[in-house]
Amino acid sequence: MVLLSQRTMESLGVPNIDGSGQYIQTIEWDMMNKQKFFPLSMLSSFSVRCMLYPFTVIKTRIQIQRHNEVYKGTFDAFQKIFKYEGLGGLYKGFWVSAFQLVSGIFYITTYENVRTFLQQRGVHDSRVRALIGGGCASVVGQTIIVPFDVISQHMMVLGQMEGHGKSKVIVNPLNIDYHGRQKLQIALNIVRTLYRKDGLKGFYRGYMASICAYVPNSALWWSFYHFYQEQLVRTFPDGTSTLLVQCIAAPLGGVSTSLITNPLDIVRARLQVQRTGGFGNTFRILWSEEQLGIFTKGLSPRLFQSMIFSFTIILGYESVKRFSVNDEFKNEVRW
């Protein structure tokens, strides 16, 4: 067996079948070949986003509508969007949103390096390291992605009908010309209009709301993920697949986090699309409209998206880590 560093030994937690040592439960940053990890990670992330993007569109539209004026729920929204806008309606703003792949690389690099830094400073509780690492990673990721988020969310809701009867209006917050335009032209029109109205700060509208929504979301998600993983390892019989445990822990973490942070996510979406002023003012407007409904509004697509996203992203992420692990650790890693 290779001679392992103290830091590596702290990642070991599951006995080998032959009793000669222990399996690595958490593959750390310095155990991987980055030339393999980064391209495989981007491919995995892109595949997951392709599959789950329609739920992002549905969630955003439900969040910004008043009460249930347009959509009564996730399935109703899916039916109406597909019926009136086709498959393309479920992928509005996708290519702009796809820039999240870039922020994703910075996100995971920050997360892993913060965990490494904390462990080197004597913080050995995986949940604490995950909490701090997830929060720091989200700050970096949001700083990069918010401008693309703002543009893609405008594209998601553009042309949607809102209201009832004679009061029906077409959603077009920036009053741009989009009829007969290609998606790239629409995106460029949104960019030009945002810049003309607000300058560069227009692309960071809702930045603080995004920080307030996503930093706790990211920090809690990673912390819950490690917490559930530890509990499941104790519960499941010896020899259970580590990857299986991780793929069960991830959706549990996603559900727990979504239930706690749902109101923050609605405020972020409203602020970025409807231009409702500051965080506090947006929250007051939302509360006057929904009252306690802020805890459940758009929650079903968010829960579903979070469960599937958590499962698939961890399946991809942990598999990529196993494919990228350095040769000296391959015998210590179990699928």
Side-chain angles (χ1 to χ4, degrees), residues 146-166:
V146 161
F148 300 102
D149 226 6
V150 171
I151 296 166
S152 67
Q153 285 184 118
H154 275 288
M155 294 184 73
M156 286 179 200
V157 302
L158 189 63
Q160 174 188 339
M161 297 299 295
E162 190 175 79
H164 296 285
K166 294 182 179 180

Side-chain angles (χ1 to χ4, degrees), residues 21-192:
Q22 289 182 309
Y23 283 114
I24 293 175
Q25 189 172 334
T26 301
I27 300 172
E28 301 290 357
W29 191 240
D30 60 2
M31 300 178 190
M32 293 185 291
N33 181 335
K34 309 306 186 296
Q35 291 180 332
K36 290 182 180 179
F37 176 78
F38 284 123
L40 287 174
S41 180
M42 291 183 70
L43 178 62
S44 172
S45 182
F46 181 76
S47 301
V48 172
R49 292 185 188 283
C50 283
M51 181 173 62
L52 298 181
Y53 189 77
F55 294 103
T56 301
V57 174
I58 291 169
K59 180 197 70 172
T60 300
R61 290 197 177 188
I62 291 176
Q63 285 179 333
I64 68 168
Q65 72 176 351
R66 292 177 177 83
H67 304 296
N68 295 315
E69 286 184 343
V70 185
Y71 308 118
K72 295 181 177 64
T74 304
F75 186 67
D76 182 59
F78 179 86
Q79 281 188 313
K80 287 179 178 176
I81 294 172
F82 187 78
K83 179 179 179 180
Y84 295 112
E85 302 174 49
L87 184 62
L90 294 167
Y91 280 89
K92 276 189 172 181
F94 173 76
W95 289 109
V96 176
S97 178
F99 279 95
Q100 288 186 9
L101 291 176
V102 177
S103 71
I105 291 298
F106 284 92
Y107 175 95
I108 205 62
T109 301
T110 302
Y111 170 73
E112 292 287 358
N113 278 283
V114 168
R115 288 181 67 249
T116 299
F117 175 83
L118 291 173
Q119 190 166 40
Q120 291 172 344
R121 297 303 182 277
V123 181
H124 301 308
D125 190 321
S126 63
R127 291 164 295 182
V128 173
R129 290 190 290 122
L131 183 76
I132 299 172
C136 293
S138 186
V139 171
V140 173
Q142 287 305 306
T143 301
I144 297 170
I145 200 57
V146 161
F148 300 102
D149 226 6
V150 171
I151 296 166
S152 67
Q153 285 184 118
H154 275 288
M155 294 184 73
M156 286 179 200
V157 302
L158 189 63
Q160 174 188 339
M161 297 299 295
E162 190 175 79
H164 296 285
K166 294 182 179 180
S167 64
K168 273 191 175 181
V169 295
I170 296 176
V171 176
N172 189 356
L174 298 176
N175 295 315
I176 67 168
D177 180 15
Y178 66 93
H179 292 289
R181 305 279 181 172
Q182 297 295 319
K183 292 178 181 178
L184 178 60
Q185 291 176 309
I186 294 173
L188 291 175
N189 280 344
I190 290 173
V191 170
R192 284 193 291 265

